């Protein structure tokens, strides 16, 4: 069919447009091509790299907060491109959906073609097998060749003076299995995103946790998840222990092991059980997994207001500034103090040592714990109703320092008490606890994703290790000729063909001996 001159050009002499339908067909062909699927798969892997380079809000929001504190300009630019929320970003979702559509359009047609190919019988033998890339004349007969090929699971068809055999359909089966497994994997991830949830929480030694929305510091539910869908488990953090490489060693201070001892109830009516939570050894309760993410120190204080009444008593989690020695920063807000509300900035040092006019921590374990305190008084602004962070005082403009502020005040040891200036009250450092950060995840697509990953590996092995090939045996001029052809590009069939011809001759001789 040829085009007329009018069809070939438009009124201005340019190429004729494809039209809406034509462009849609062209776009669909490009999207569903194998090359596009491979490019999108590569882009998906490439897009996942920032998720391992930068801290993610869904995994460790504290690390993201420290990133903003240490380098706010760079963090702001990274956040504009969603690099702290890679796997929930629009550009990652776009690659994911395009890959999903590409695989559907690529796999379904190929599956139909492969099913037809599986039912098709091997073609008849060519007239002249000596023209094939692999051929040899052997001693034997068609019956013994047919019997041997069938015994080795070749698909065999016989004709007048010839035998045709084919093997290796599992190569294409493996190829399709790999792509179908990728498709199932994408569906499993999508199911997990819709019906799963993820939450982060900080728990101090001695405190408990119940799996409710209100208990989480950060909660990210799927679009189809309601608060009633959460598994009703709870636990109490009995103890946390960490060990480090000792002083004098080349790797001093590096962690050796840390674990948390929990008292767990899988439901309100179930008995309590003990569980030791470790890194990569999560707590499982009715399909929900709770992972140990991080840990730090929570010094305990007793704060008395200017009226002589205890306004605060308890543990204060400190955010880690330096993981090599666990030097940490604390913020204490005391809205119940009278006559003035109080606030404190604290610097916790697990193993304190002097360094000139300053103080520092020399080891991550709490060998000699101290706290440096900077006190403030004024209005904390809690009555304004504006949300504020419990770890930050930077936005409180109505707070005024109490007394003379020094760059490095004398650290308080456990049991020390300091009277605040202007009769504002007293602060006592009463002890040290530890805290852990946990992430609870529920992903109904986790097990299907695991099965799909295993199927993808199996399919990849089949497609790499199996080669499709054909063998023909024909009687010609009183002799038997064998020809072979590989249908896999780049496949080496020469060695296997040589072994096959020897086996056919050996099998024919063995049958002759049995008959005689």
């Amino acid at each position: 069919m040829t085009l007329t001159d009018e069809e070939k050009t438009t009124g201005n002499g340019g190429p004729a447009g494809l039209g809406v339908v034509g462009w849609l067909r062209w776009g669909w062909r490009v999207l569903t091509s194998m090359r596009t699927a491979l490019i999108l798969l590569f882009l998906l892997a490439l897009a996942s790299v920032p998720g391992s380079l930068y801290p993610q809000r869904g995994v460790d929001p504290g690390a993201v907060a420290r990133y903003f504190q240490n380098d706010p300009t760079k963090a702001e630019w990274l956040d504009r491109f969603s690099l702290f929320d890679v796997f929930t970003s629009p550009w990652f979702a776009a690659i994911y959906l395009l890959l999903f559509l590409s695989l559907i359009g690529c796999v379904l047609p190929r599956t139909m073609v492969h099913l037809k190919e599986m039912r098709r019988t091997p073609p008849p033998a060519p007239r002249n097998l000596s023209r094939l890339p692999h051929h040899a004349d052997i001693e034997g007969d068609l019956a013994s060749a047919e019997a041997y090929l069938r015994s080795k699971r070749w698909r065999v068809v016989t004709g007048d003076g010839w035998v045709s055999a084919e093997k290796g359909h599992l190569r294409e089966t493996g190829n399709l299995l790999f792509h179908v497994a990728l498709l199932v994997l994408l569906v499993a991830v999508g199911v997990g995103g819709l019906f799963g949830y993820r939450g982060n929480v900080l728990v101090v030694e001695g405190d408990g946790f119940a799996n409710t929305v209100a208990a989480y510091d950060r909660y990210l539910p799927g679009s189809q998840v309601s608060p009633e869908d959460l598994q009703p488990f709870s636990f109490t953090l009995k103890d946390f222990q960490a060990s480090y490489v000792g002083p004098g060693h080349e790797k001093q201070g590096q962690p050796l092991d840390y674990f948390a001892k929990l008292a767990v109830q899988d439901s309100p009516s179930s008995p309590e059980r003990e569980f030791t939570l470790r890194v990569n050894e999560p707590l499982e309760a009715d399909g929900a997994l709770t992972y140990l993410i991080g840990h730090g120190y929570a010094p305990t204080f007793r704060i008395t207001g200017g009226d002589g009444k205890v306004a605060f008593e308890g543990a204060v989690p400190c955010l880690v500034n330096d993981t090599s020695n666990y030097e940490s920063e604390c913020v204490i807000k005391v809205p119940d103090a009278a006559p003035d509300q109080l606030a404190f900035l604290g610097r916790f040092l697990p193993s304190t040592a002097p360094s000139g006019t300053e103080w520092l921590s020399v080891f991550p374990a709490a060998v000699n714990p101290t706290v440096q305190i900077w006190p403030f008084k004024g209005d904390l602004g809690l009555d304004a109703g504006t949300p504020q962070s419990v770890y930050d005082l930077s936005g409180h403009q109505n707070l005024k320092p109490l007394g003379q502020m020094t760059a490095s005040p004398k650290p308080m040891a456990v049991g020390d008490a300091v009277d605040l200036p202007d009769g504002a009250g007293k602060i006592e450092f009463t002890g040290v606890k530890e805290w852990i950060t946990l992430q609870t995840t529920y992903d109904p697509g986790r097990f299907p994703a695991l099965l799909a990953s295993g199927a993808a590996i199996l399919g990849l092995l089949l497609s790499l290790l199996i080669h499709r090939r054909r063998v023909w045996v024909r009687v010609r001029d009183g002799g038997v000729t064998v020809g072979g052809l590989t249908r896999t590009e780049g496949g080496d069939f020469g060695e296997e063909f040589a072994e096959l011809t020897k086996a056919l001759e050996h099998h024919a001789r063995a049958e002759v001996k049995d008959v005689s």
Side-chain angles (χ1 to χ4, degrees):
M1 176 176 150
T2 59
L3 298 177
T4 64
D5 292 339
E6 184 179 355
E7 291 172 329
K8 289 179 181 178
T9 60
T10 60
N12 58 5
L18 294 176
V20 176
V21 176
W23 278 109
L24 289 176
R25 288 177 179 174
W26 176 84
W28 179 251
R29 285 198 300 270
V30 172
L31 179 63
T32 57
S33 66
M34 182 61 66
R35 176 180 297 179
T36 302
L38 292 175
I39 292 174
L40 289 172
L41 187 61
F42 172 75
L43 288 177
L44 190 70
L46 189 64
S48 302
V49 172
S52 60
L53 296 178
Y54 300 107
Q56 300 297 294
R57 283 192 176 91
V59 177
D60 193 353
V64 177
R66 289 195 295 272
Y67 207 105
F68 272 90
Q69 182 178 359
N70 296 333
D71 195 345
T73 303
K74 181 180 179 181
E76 183 178 349
W77 277 102
L78 293 175
D79 201 28
R80 289 180 181 179
F81 294 100
S82 302
L83 294 183
F84 295 125
D85 301 279
V86 168
F87 304 106
T88 57
S89 62
W91 50 267
F92 190 89
I95 298 174
Y96 174 89
L97 292 175
L98 287 174
L99 178 60
F100 186 81
L101 292 174
S102 179
L103 286 175
I104 290 177
C106 180
V107 170
L108 290 182
R110 290 185 60 182
T111 301
M112 302 305 297
V113 172
H114 182 58
L115 291 176
K116 293 179 181 178
E117 190 70 19
M118 290 285 288
R119 294 192 298 267
R120 184 178 300 170
T121 59
R127 291 184 179 275
N128 190 357
L129 297 181
S130 61
R131 294 182 178 179
L132 295 177
H134 306 282
H135 61 274
D137 295 326
I138 65 170
E139 297 179 2
D141 58 84
L142 292 180
S144 64
E146 178 188 355
Y148 178 78
L149 291 171
R150 289 188 185 277
S151 67
K152 296 302 179 181
R153 299 183 182 276
W154 287 73
R155 182 180 299 180
V156 178
V157 174
T158 59
D160 185 13
W162 55 266
V163 174
S164 179
E166 188 172 12
K167 200 174 187 179
H169 282 86
L170 283 179
R171 174 185 176 86
E172 181 63 14
T173 303
N175 197 3
L176 289 173
L177 177 62
F178 173 75
H179 289 87
V180 170
L182 286 182
L183 193 60
V184 174
L185 183 62
L186 292 176
V187 172
V189 172
V191 169
L194 289 174
F195 300 97
Y197 65 87
R198 184 171 68 247
N200 295 76
V201 64
L202 183 149
V203 183
V204 179
E205 280 180 316
D207 291 347
F209 168 79
N211 190 32
T212 60
V213 175
Y216 284 109
D217 298 326
R218 179 178 173 84
Y219 176 66
L220 299 172
S223 59
Q224 303 300 314
V225 178
S226 65
E228 293 77 15
D229 295 329
L230 273 65
Q231 289 74 8
F233 71 91
S234 61
F235 61 80
T236 300
L237 176 57
K238 295 292 187 180
D239 186 32
F240 177 83
Q241 296 181 19
S243 57
Y244 307 91
V245 177
H249 195 275
E250 181 182 358
K251 298 182 179 180
Q252 172 182 326
Q254 291 192 8
L256 293 173
D257 185 28
Y258 55 91
F259 58 89
K261 294 184 177 180
L262 308 179
V264 184
Q265 279 189 290
D266 295 308
S267 66
S269 59
S270 63
E272 189 177 272
R273 61 184 175 96
E274 300 294 326
F275 184 82
T276 301
L277 184 66
R278 298 178 182 272
V279 177
N280 297 326
E281 295 182 16
L283 167 68
E284 183 172 4
D286 195 19
L289 298 176
T290 300
Y291 294 88
L292 177 60
I293 301 299
H295 66 99
Y297 291 98
T300 60
F301 299 93
R302 182 186 297 113
I303 299 174
T304 305
D307 58 356
K309 297 180 180 180
V310 176
F312 173 84
E313 187 170 12
V316 179
C318 296
L319 299 182
V320 180
N321 282 337
D322 189 345
T323 55
S324 64
N325 54 35
Y326 271 77
E327 177 185 310
S328 310
E329 289 186 356
C330 315
V331 169
I332 313 171
K333 298 181 181 181
V334 192
D336 296 330
D340 297 304
Q341 293 182 340
L342 300 176
F344 302 85
L345 285 176
R347 179 170 175 252
F348 178 77
L349 306 173
S351 296
T352 311
S355 177
T357 59
E358 297 184 353
W359 305 82
L360 51 81
S361 179
V362 295
F363 195 69
V367 178
N368 179 30
T370 64
V371 178
Q372 292 179 298
I373 292 295
W374 290 266
F376 298 85
K377 72 174 182 179
D379 185 9
L380 292 173
L382 298 178
D383 296 334
T386 303
Q388 55 180 262
S389 172
V390 296
Y391 303 106
D392 188 19
L393 282 182
S394 58
H396 296 279
Q397 300 178 355
N398 296 324
L399 292 177
K400 298 180 180 179
L402 276 171
Q404 184 70 29
M405 300 293 287
T406 61
S408 184
K410 181 180 178 182
M412 298 173 60
V414 176
D416 287 351
V418 173
D419 292 325
L420 302 176
D422 304 329
K426 182 174 67 175
I427 180 170
E428 302 173 65
F429 180 24
T430 57
V432 178
K433 293 184 177 181
E434 295 189 70
W435 56 258
I436 59 175
T437 49
L438 305 169
Q439 182 181 77
T440 297
T441 61
Y442 175 68
D443 186 359
R446 179 170 56 94
F447 187 66
L450 177 62
L451 294 180
S453 300
I457 294 174
L458 176 61
L460 187 62
L461 291 175
L462 290 175
S463 63
L464 292 177
L465 300 179
I466 295 178
H467 302 283
R468 191 174 177 187
R469 58 269 193 215
R470 286 175 177 170
V471 171
W472 294 276
V473 183
R474 178 180 281 278
V475 176
R476 185 178 182 184
D477 299 331
V480 176
T481 302
V482 182
L485 177 69
T486 177
R487 299 200 63 194
T488 303
E489 185 177 351
D492 185 9
F493 187 44
E495 184 177 349
E496 183 183 0
F497 181 78
E499 294 178 355
L500 180 62
T501 55
K502 291 180 181 179
L504 288 173
E505 284 188 329
H506 178 76
H507 184 74
R509 290 169 185 162
E511 284 192 346
V512 171
K513 290 182 180 179
D514 291 340
V515 172
S516 62

